[in-house]
Amino acid sequence: MKLYSDAALAKILDKDIFHQISDVADRLGVECYVVGGYVRDIFLERPSDDIDVVVVGSGIEVAKELKKSLGRKAHLSVFKNFGTAQVKYHDMEVEFVGARKESYSHDSRKPIVEDGTLEDDQNRRDFTINAMAICLNKKRFGELVDPFNGIADLQDGIITTPLDPEVTFSDDPLRMMRCIRFATQLQFQIAEDTFEALERMADRIKIVSAERIEVELNKIIMSPHPSIGFEYLQRSGLLQIILPELAALDIVEKKDGRAHKNNFYHTLEVLENVVKANSQMPTANGLYLRWAALLHDVGKTKTKRWEPKMGWTFHNHNFIGAKMVQDIFRRLKLPMGAEMKYVQKLVDLHMRPQAIADEEVTDSAVRRLLNDAGEDIDDLMTLCEADITSKNEVRKKMFLENFRMVREKLADLKEKDYKRLLQPVIDGNEIMEIFHLQPSREVGVLKQYLKDAVLDNKVENEREPLMRLLMEKARSMGLTVL
């Protein structure tokens, strides 16, 4: 992290847009400051085009005057109910708001807002690293205003609040999620007193809408190391409220000297493996592949059994987990369409490649896997490889080598146009026509019989051999064959 003098900050802000704002502010006789994330990111040397400006006065009036100065290339949006305005200019967006102070009632996160000073505005900020401001007025252009020593916290890699963290989190409980999200994205530590306030205030998250929680969760999941965030969520007690199905995995039971692994920390390891693989081989479903990793074992709590001869078992946890995905997505206001079905599919199928790799990798098993996974087969294989977290290096190497063989067979099938290979050339409509049947159980049985024959490579997927099989099966079912 670089430290900058006021003069150096003035040079960094030596852009036309900031000088235009400066001219307008001086002309209107108001103090004007760039604040928040834009200032933080200057010191972190991260690019940012989203600029927040606080005006000690009317932010809307400054935005209107700026639009006049910039002319036709600028676009102005005014949000009177919120007392804010936005100016879009080229590839930059500048949000204007008047300095304000806020007060809250206990059972609501909607504040009572009043006009305030810059000090009032900085006091209401969530974290010290987001409470810094740089003056844009000409006489003080580039001057840093940092009353809570956010610079020191940036240097030390600390997330802490400007005021009492309990008050900060009580005022707006979403800040608890943001606290963990910033710690995850920046790989910072949460200050001890701030984390203790998270633990005490966790229950307040219940008044925050699922939509707002979802945004923060997705940002944590898409961080370079999302396991940092989920460990903080679990330790603070927030995860038990937001995603109790995942939190419930954080347990190890022991019986007759035999214990199962901690499936919560196993899940975090799988998630990190998926992130690593996805960074090397990006996929269009990056976010939801990570969700699939996060939820792949959620069914284990419901399916855990002790069997004296086998020890701890989790039979059908993939099937039960896939059914749980729908409720989780609905509760968290995640998309209920293709994205949810994609996660369901990966959770349901994540044991299949491992079962194949456990034994001889047969063409029939690979064909069935490809038929069921379809276009998502590569993502499924990524998840399954990530799921091998065994500390036994010999066993781990064996599984990964078998997965390599599975991938080779999959690549061969895909090269030969697997859709044509795996779908019987005689379909349900033709079966109904041949035997004068309406849609019925018999039609389903005959369709599945042909499909199984193709998937198991018993016959070529050609009309003549399939027709012979169809007629034999029809006779065995007592159907009239002409």
Side-chain angles (χ1 to χ4, degrees), residues 87-200:
V87 176
K88 290 185 179 180
Y89 183 64
H90 295 309
D91 56 350
M92 290 182 290
E93 293 183 6
V94 187
E95 296 275 353
F96 290 88
V97 64
R100 59 194 185 186
K101 56 183 176 181
E102 298 175 344
S103 57
Y104 293 79
S105 63
H106 180 76
D107 60 350
S108 172
R109 64 156 309 276
K110 291 183 178 179
I112 299 166
V113 180
E114 303 173 78
D115 292 341
T117 63
L118 176 65
E119 182 182 2
D120 291 327
D121 202 88
Q122 289 177 300
N123 285 344
R124 72 179 184 82
R125 297 276 160 178
D126 50 9
F127 308 111
T128 59
I129 62 172
N130 294 335
M132 297 180 286
I134 301 174
C135 189
L136 295 179
N137 296 90
K138 278 192 171 53
K139 286 185 180 179
R140 297 169 54 209
F141 193 84
E143 178 186 314
L144 178 67
V145 184
D146 183 17
F148 304 108
N149 215 4
I151 286 293
D153 289 335
L154 275 178
Q155 284 182 297
D156 295 339
I158 296 292
I159 304 292
T160 190
T161 57
L163 304 177
D164 180 344
E166 197 162 308
V167 173
T168 298
F169 295 147
S170 181
D171 284 350
D172 183 355
L174 187 69
R175 288 170 174 167
M176 294 188 286
M177 295 292 297
R178 285 169 57 81
C179 176
I180 291 173
R181 188 251 292 179
F182 279 120
T184 308
Q185 288 178 327
L186 301 176
Q187 295 176 49
F188 280 16
Q189 295 291 314
I190 299 175
E192 188 175 347
D193 65 331
T194 304
F195 187 78
E196 288 170 355
L198 280 178
E199 294 177 292
R200 290 193 300 273

Side-chain angles (χ1 to χ4, degrees), residues 367-383:
R367 279 169 168 255
R368 286 181 174 277
L369 177 65
L370 183 52
N371 176 73
D372 293 342
E375 302 290 347
D376 300 316
I377 186 64
D378 290 328
D379 289 352
L380 176 63
M381 291 302 298
T382 296
L383 174 60

Side-chain angles (χ1 to χ4, degrees), residues 9-22:
L9 289 173
K11 284 187 179 179
I12 290 171
L13 297 178
D14 188 19
K15 297 178 182 177
D16 179 57
I17 188 69
F18 291 116
H19 288 296
Q20 293 272 13
I21 295 170
S22 181

Side-chain angles (χ1 to χ4, degrees), residues 323-387:
K323 289 177 69 175
M324 293 167 68
V325 167
Q326 187 171 24
D327 288 338
I328 291 169
F329 267 52
R330 182 178 291 112
R331 188 178 71 242
L332 293 175
K333 305 300 182 186
L334 286 157
M336 294 299 293
E339 298 89 347
M340 187 271 292
K341 289 176 181 175
Y342 165 88
V343 174
Q344 272 191 318
K345 180 196 285 188
L346 264 59
V347 171
D348 188 23
L349 295 178
H350 83 270
M351 297 296 292
R352 285 273 293 281
Q354 190 167 324
I356 293 172
D358 253 336
E359 301 172 6
E360 184 184 352
V361 181
T362 65
D363 286 348
S364 173
V366 173
R367 279 169 168 255
R368 286 181 174 277
L369 177 65
L370 183 52
N371 176 73
D372 293 342
E375 302 290 347
D376 300 316
I377 186 64
D378 290 328
D379 289 352
L380 176 63
M381 291 302 298
T382 296
L383 174 60
C384 293
E385 287 162 352
D387 198 18

Side-chain angles (χ1 to χ4, degrees), residues 255-256 258-260 305-315:
K255 193 162 184 176
D256 295 347
R258 299 166 78 177
H260 62 77
R305 300 287 184 274
W306 169 256
E307 297 180 14
K309 291 184 180 179
M310 300 179 65
W312 293 104
T313 65
F314 305 91
H315 296 312

Side-chain angles (χ1 to χ4, degrees), residues 381 385 399-409:
M381 291 302 298
E385 287 162 352
F399 268 115
L400 293 176
E401 174 59 21
N402 283 356
F403 280 149
R404 185 190 63 76
M405 293 169 60
V406 173
R407 279 193 181 272
E408 283 181 1
K409 287 182 180 290

